[in-house]
Amino acid sequence: MATLNEIYKELESIMEDVEAYVEEADNANQASDVAGTVQRPLDKVLSALDTIMDDEAAGVYEEYGEDEFYEEDESSW
């Protein structure tokens, strides 16, 4: 299974290819469609993955025992 970092790097490489295609395309209508339906959503995916990886590095996704993290203090009822 690939790591998030590996997925991010692969998508980043694809994004570079998409950006180059949009910049160099001979057909402006097609370039516009690729920018709108591929480039912008891919940019959002990269941004979301970057945020998740930052959160992971900050310890947001630390391992907890089953139900330990969401366990409620029943004595406070």
Side-chain angles (χ1 to χ4, degrees):
M1 181 171 77
T3 66
L4 288 179
N5 192 40
E6 291 169 337
I7 293 169
Y8 182 87
K9 287 181 179 180
E10 188 67 30
L11 289 173
E12 196 173 42
S13 174
I14 292 169
M15 180 62 137
E16 290 171 1
D17 291 341
V18 169
E19 288 172 342
Y21 177 84
V22 169
E23 289 176 12
E24 298 169 11
D26 293 332
N27 185 322
N29 290 330
Q30 187 178 34
S32 176
D33 285 347
V34 170
T37 59
V38 178
Q39 187 178 17
R40 288 186 197 111
L42 186 52
D43 187 48
K44 289 180 182 182
V45 169
L46 285 167
S47 177
L49 273 174
D50 189 44
T51 299
I52 291 169
M53 290 187 310
D54 285 348
D55 288 350
E56 181 180 40
V60 171
Y61 302 112
E62 288 183 16
E63 302 255 344
Y64 293 95
E66 186 175 329
D67 297 330
E68 182 182 328
F69 184 73
Y70 294 105
E71 191 173 280
E72 295 182 29
D73 182 10
E74 294 177 14
S75 65
S76 66
W77 294 1

